[in-house]
Amino acid sequence: MTRYLITGATGMLGRDLQDALAGRDVTALGRADLDVTDQDAVTAAVAGHDVVVNAAAYTKVDDAESHEDDAYAVNARGAAVLATAAVAAGAKLVQVSTDYVFDGNGTSPYAEDEPTDPIGAYGRTKAAGEAAVREIAPDSSWIVRTAWLYGAHGPNFAKTMIRLSGSHETVSVVTDQVGQPTWTGDLARQIVAMLDADAPAGIYHGTNAGQGSWFDFTRAIFSEAGLDPERVLPTDSSAFVRPAPRPAYSVLGHDAWSRAGIPPMRDWRDALHAAAEAGVLSA
């Protein structure tokens, strides 16, 4: 029987991974259970497992600009520590990464083999983690890049918009950042499908299909929640100046799934509807 280890297991994706792997032999370790930068602790935790899914990450994008060392410790060194332990244990590793490894200046979906060129600290640390995993475990690792995540467990954009709808007559949301809203439930199931298919090692883009702006996403959230989407007003990024630059274009291509014989993830609007039906949008 395959034994799975999930790191970052108490986060939004980690919780959905536990659900997607229900009924299997799973060890789920959150941040309080395992410091992914501690090589001895990680080596001991990984021993005896066949697959490690690393959902542990420093994801505070703005804070990373002034705390890049802290982000690097988890996102880059932690990935290297896990890859080293996985190789030593003969285990395979799934490293969850991000659209922020790209500069966001594209106009067509980023291919899996596109060179990375991050524009901020968070993206730099995640790109370094990818590079470490590819170097240490090139034949026994999958890098799954994702973006614009929302889910049932933990704070996220969708829940924030629902909460704001209760206290604001209108919400202003940017139209000049385009990406792929992605339900962590779908992503978790896609990762499990990849593992079950024993897909070739390499890079995969784990985002729901299609594309939309944050404005489009918010109007869809309002519609699914039974709210008037006309309460969502368009604006642009100049209205929300933040420490970390945001990629303007975060649409990822999905060719690797087809090459592996695995259907890519469904359209983001279909996923959002299913998530709403499952009660995910409750604030």
Side-chain angles (χ1 to χ4, degrees):
M1 178 184 288
T2 302
R3 296 193 64 204
Y4 302 86
L5 170 64
I6 303 170
T7 60
T10 56
M12 186 165 59
L13 175 58
R15 296 276 296 278
D16 280 348
L17 280 164
Q18 291 184 62
D19 291 342
L21 288 166
R24 307 196 195 191
D25 189 342
V26 176
T27 304
L29 300 179
R31 182 169 53 187
D33 308 308
L34 179 65
D35 175 359
V36 295
T37 69
D38 183 333
Q39 185 73 71
D40 289 342
V42 169
T43 298
V46 170
H49 292 90
D50 305 294
V51 176
V52 179
V53 184
N54 180 26
Y58 183 110
T59 58
K60 293 176 285 188
V61 173
D62 287 322
D63 288 354
E65 292 298 309
S66 54
H67 298 88
E68 189 163 353
D69 288 349
D70 294 338
Y72 188 91
V74 177
N75 294 343
R77 191 161 68 245
V81 165
L82 279 160
T84 300
V87 169
K92 296 181 177 180
L93 173 67
V94 179
Q95 170 68 17
V96 179
S97 193
T98 174
D99 60 305
Y100 275 75
V101 300
F102 297 119
D103 62 14
N105 292 327
T107 54
S108 60
Y110 285 98
E112 291 87 352
D113 60 357
E114 188 103 8
T116 59
D117 187 18
I119 56 175
Y122 170 66
R124 285 192 294 271
T125 64
K126 292 297 286 186
E130 288 189 12
V133 169
R134 288 200 304 271
E135 180 180 347
I136 296 166
D139 302 319
S140 57
S141 64
W142 298 274
I143 292 165
V144 180
R145 296 182 182 131
T146 192
W148 292 33
L149 292 180
Y150 66 93
H153 309 288
N156 59 77
F157 180 84
K159 287 186 178 182
T160 297
M161 292 300 104
I162 295 293
R163 189 176 70 250
L164 287 176
S165 75
S167 56
H168 293 67
E169 182 56 37
T170 62
V171 294
S172 296
V173 187
V174 300
T175 60
D176 57 353
Q177 294 173 27
V178 176
Q180 295 161 311
T182 298
W183 181 19
T184 49
D186 272 11
L187 176 57
R189 287 183 286 271
Q190 189 77 356
I191 289 171
V192 173
M194 179 187 73
L195 293 171
D196 288 349
D198 196 21
I203 298 172
Y204 294 80
H205 285 164
T207 49
N208 281 116
Q211 66 180 61
S213 66
W214 288 111
F215 172 76
D216 298 328
F217 185 26
T218 307
R219 284 178 63 93
I221 291 166
F222 270 50
S223 293
E224 290 292 351
L227 302 169
D228 181 4
E230 296 302 318
R231 293 172 58 192
V232 183
L233 306 180
T235 187
D236 61 41
S237 298
S238 65
F240 296 96
V241 178
R242 292 183 286 186
R246 263 57 177 179
Y249 183 83
S250 285
V251 180
L252 305 182
H254 299 131
D255 289 350
W257 297 114
S258 300
R259 289 194 295 268
I262 301 169
M265 294 162 66
R266 60 184 157 179
D267 186 85
W268 71 267
R269 292 179 185 273
D270 296 334
L272 180 64
H273 179 70
E277 293 281 297
V280 168
L281 298 186
S282 301

